[in-house]
Amino acid sequence: MTEFVETPIPGLGVRYTMTTRSDRAVGVVIHHTGRRDLVVYDRADPDAAEASVELTEEEGRALGDLLGGSRIVERLSDLTHHIEGLVIEWIRIDDDAPVAGIALAEAEIRADTGASVVALVHGEDVVPAPGGDDRLTPGATAVVVGSTESVEAVRAILAPSASAS
Amino acid sequence: MDTEPSALLLELGAIVFALAIASRLARRVGIPAIPLYLLAGLAFGEGGLADLGAATGFIEAGAEIGIILMLLMLGLEYSSVELRTNLQRSAPSGLLDLVLNFPPGLLTGLVLGWDLLSAVLLGGATYISSSGVVAKLLADLERVGNRETPVVLTILVIEDLAMAIYLPVVAGVLFGGPAMATVLTVIGALIAVVAILYIAQHYGESLSRLAFSQSSETLLLTLLGITLVVAGLAERIQLSAAVGAFLVGIVLSGEAASEARGVLLPLRNLFAAVFFVFFGLEVDPGLIPGVALTAGLLAATTAGTKIVTGWVAAGQKGIGPRGRLRTGTALVARGEFSIVIGALGVQREADLGAFVAAYVLFLAIAGPILARYSDSLVRR
């Protein structure tokens, strides 16, 4: 798995860098303003940017899509950087979960736990910001956002066997 | 002297227009505009090319607002969390920076026979790099993504935080009366600084939400009002208006802070330029030739000490030789804050003003040039 090194840039934003298998260092600077810089580092001097391309938030997202990224993942990872104490978990919905197959509104997850289901992912099928009618299909993955405790509470509901172990 | 409104408009217009030309020229040559603004101030001042009459009152008030806005914008750049983590992570680099760059100024002042406080002010002027010039430099040279850039910015953050302690202490000594009263003032000032940093940490977000408005006009007036009142109160308790403004900037965070940067920037640009002119006016140009040589030597020395600071600090983060030199040279530029510090002591030691003016002229020009060509100084 590719690992990004995250470095805060005081007053500006955050920089992520990685070294590719072909041994080139590339990085992205995410400014507080939403601006993105795509950076390719110099072969001879790996500390220096050989090229730095300024992208708007929208252009960055479009480029990310082309490169095979998922908008949701990017959006969510964005969130964790801005809000302390917020946890995001991908929880697979068990077949034997008490709420399996029922609609989100009926499951009353937010009322019971305080955490929100912000997306449902079923294979290639992604439902961002699901409504009350969307079902908690067994086998699908729910993206849950909340405090550590509330997300754990959701895990107990959606994946009782995983959370018991 | 003719004191009609027309005289005020004509003089102000002439000054602002001269600054516009200076700014264009600076862009063309690729140096910061600060040294040229200073020269403009020197030219307009007493014993200079043209005398100002009607506009002096405005320039004096504008300069005061300029300092406040510069520090407010600086505070807006950082959150209190950022300040704390930077301090924790990079305290050794910050300390090295202080140990290498403060004493040269201090010692020079003492050797020149100034009193201790004036020498301490000169030490402050040699210590602090220009965040404004350096930040612009990094953007212009497209080095924001470079691996050494966080090292550079971290050192600047620590310097700015050091200013928040240095300024009230110096201001307390400067304006305080008897020794005991001065000590009390200084302690009071430091308690106030710590208290506000605490408030920023715990209530910054809710206060920012309270101050925020969708209307840029409302936001501008709110922020300007709050900042001027806090700066005035700070000045009243001898904490220095500039630090008051800096702390307001620290407290504001999130949306309020990013919007505030947008609405305040044009005002800051105008009034900061006015401040540089004002400083130029305060300095007697006749004194400059007498101090230029010493100031030049000190500039060369403290360019060297900054390069060492950056070299060592970047080395600790595992950065290669070229990056280490880039870090050092990026830090060489001195500018607005050296002048802010120098301005505190102009009335006390006339030579200090001329000295700081000459010193900043050297390093605000040499710093960016060194930074630009630092890569060609080391072989690949």
Side-chain angles (χ1 to χ4, degrees):
Chain A
M1 167 121 180
T2 311
E3 289 265 2
F4 276 98
V5 179
E6 179 184 334
T7 319
I9 310 181
L12 264 174
V14 192
R15 186 190 61 203
Y16 298 87
T17 45
M18 62 171 268
T19 307
T20 64
R21 221 167 58 176
S22 53
D23 209 29
R24 286 302 298 263
V26 289
V28 174
V29 179
I30 301 183
H31 294 248
H32 290 320
T33 57
R35 172 184 146 185
R36 266 90 166 132
D37 290 337
L38 177 65
V39 185
V40 177
Y41 291 92
D42 199 308
R43 271 178 210 273
D45 177 7
D47 300 317
E50 188 180 1
S52 174
V53 184
E54 184 182 330
L55 302 170
T56 64
E57 208 168 343
E58 185 53 42
E59 288 162 347
R61 219 172 291 137
L63 189 64
D65 276 356
L66 267 184
L67 292 174
S70 146
R71 286 179 190 220
I72 293 180
V73 175
E74 188 212 27
R75 279 248 169 112
L76 291 176
S77 66
D78 223 39
L79 275 176
T80 45
H81 292 300
H82 289 118
I83 307 164
E84 265 181 69
L86 190 72
V87 176
I88 297 170
E89 283 283 358
W90 277 251
I91 301 171
R92 192 178 170 281
I93 301 165
D94 268 6
D95 296 327
D96 53 359
V99 295
I102 74 170
L104 205 47
E106 287 165 45
E108 292 192 319
I109 286 178
R110 186 165 3 185
D112 288 347
T113 64
S116 305
V117 175
V118 296
L120 289 168
V121 185
H122 201 200
E124 295 287 296
D125 200 22
V126 177
V127 186
D133 297 336
D134 287 305
R135 292 184 178 279
L136 293 163
T137 321
T141 300
V143 182
V144 183
V145 176
S147 67
T148 317
E149 301 82 51
S150 60
V151 169
E152 280 315 305
V154 177
R155 190 192 299 282
I157 297 171
L158 296 182
S161 51
S163 105
S165 63
Chain B
M1 176 76 38
D2 164 18
T3 51
E4 283 177 67
S6 67
L8 175 68
L9 291 181
L10 282 172
E11 285 187 8
L12 271 185
I15 294 171
V16 174
F17 194 70
L19 294 180
I21 295 173
S23 161
R24 262 165 208 273
L25 196 68
R27 276 183 64 90
R28 177 79 41 100
V29 187
I31 57 167
I34 295 175
L36 298 185
Y37 293 163
L38 270 184
L39 287 176
L42 287 170
F44 281 121
E46 259 172 73
L49 299 176
D51 251 346
L52 291 178
T56 22
F58 176 86
I59 291 181
E60 216 174 314
E64 189 80 10
I65 296 174
I67 299 184
I68 288 169
L69 286 177
M70 277 194 279
L71 269 294
L72 172 65
M73 291 287 282
L74 186 68
L76 285 174
E77 294 285 318
Y78 313 120
S79 65
S80 58
V81 179
E82 244 173 0
L83 288 180
R84 208 189 39 196
T85 47
N86 273 303
L87 202 57
Q88 281 164 352
R89 255 185 241 162
S90 304
S93 313
L95 200 63
L96 177 76
D97 182 31
L98 182 67
V99 168
L100 283 179
N101 295 291
F102 187 82
L106 177 72
L107 292 176
T108 306
L110 292 176
V111 168
L112 288 174
W114 298 352
D115 62 12
L116 182 63
L117 186 60
S118 303
V120 167
L121 288 173
L122 187 58
T126 57
Y127 162 62
I128 191 147
S129 297
S130 162
S131 331
V133 172
V134 175
K136 177 134 194 323
L137 204 57
L138 292 174
D140 286 352
L141 298 176
E142 297 201 334
R143 289 194 189 157
V144 170
N146 278 19
R147 259 189 259 252
E148 77 275 5
T149 295
V151 181
V152 176
L153 292 174
T154 300
I155 289 178
L156 293 182
V157 174
I158 295 179
E159 285 181 1
D160 298 337
L161 200 57
M163 279 273 277
I165 296 167
Y166 173 88
L167 280 180
V169 170
V170 173
V173 179
L174 207 54
F175 305 116
M180 202 49 215
T182 305
V183 171
L184 285 179
T185 315
V186 168
I187 292 174
L190 292 180
I191 291 175
V193 170
V194 173
I196 294 183
L197 287 178
Y198 179 84
I199 292 175
Q201 180 104 43
H202 293 270
Y203 305 102
E205 252 175 72
S206 28
L207 287 174
S208 302
R209 263 200 300 278
L210 215 58
F212 183 70
S213 163
Q214 293 292 343
S215 145
S216 58
E217 186 182 342
T218 314
L219 184 66
L220 174 67
L221 293 174
T222 312
L223 292 179
L224 208 54
I226 294 173
T227 309
L228 290 180
V229 168
V230 171
L233 286 175
E235 188 84 45
R236 176 75 41 103
I237 60 166
Q238 322 252 315
L239 179 67
S240 119
V243 170
F246 179 67
L247 294 172
V248 171
I250 298 285
V251 171
L252 290 172
S253 65
E255 202 175 7
S258 56
E259 286 291 314
R261 279 196 284 266
V263 296
L264 289 170
L265 189 66
L267 268 190
R268 198 276 311 262
N269 290 344
L270 172 64
F271 285 106
V274 169
F275 165 70
F276 297 128
V277 171
F278 174 71
F279 181 72
L281 288 176
E282 291 277 280
V283 171
D284 177 0
L287 292 175
I288 288 188
V291 296
L293 181 66
T294 332
L297 287 175
L298 185 62
T301 313
T302 52
T305 49
K306 276 287 177 188
I307 293 177
V308 173
T309 305
W311 179 270
V312 174
Q316 282 165 351
K317 303 280 171 189
I319 285 161
R322 285 158 60 90
R324 294 172 79 175
L325 193 64
R326 278 196 299 271
T327 312
T329 49
L331 290 168
V332 168
R334 311 297 205 284
E336 65 278 24
F337 298 118
S338 300
I339 298 177
V340 168
I341 294 173
L344 284 174
V346 175
Q347 307 294 349
R348 192 182 179 91
E349 173 65 65
D351 268 350
L352 177 67
F355 198 103
V356 170
Y359 177 80
V360 170
L361 281 177
F362 284 127
L363 287 185
I365 296 175
I369 295 176
L370 273 174
R372 190 166 305 236
Y373 296 106
S374 87
D375 273 352
S376 42
L377 298 177
V378 179
R379 268 178 294 127
R380 277 199 174 229

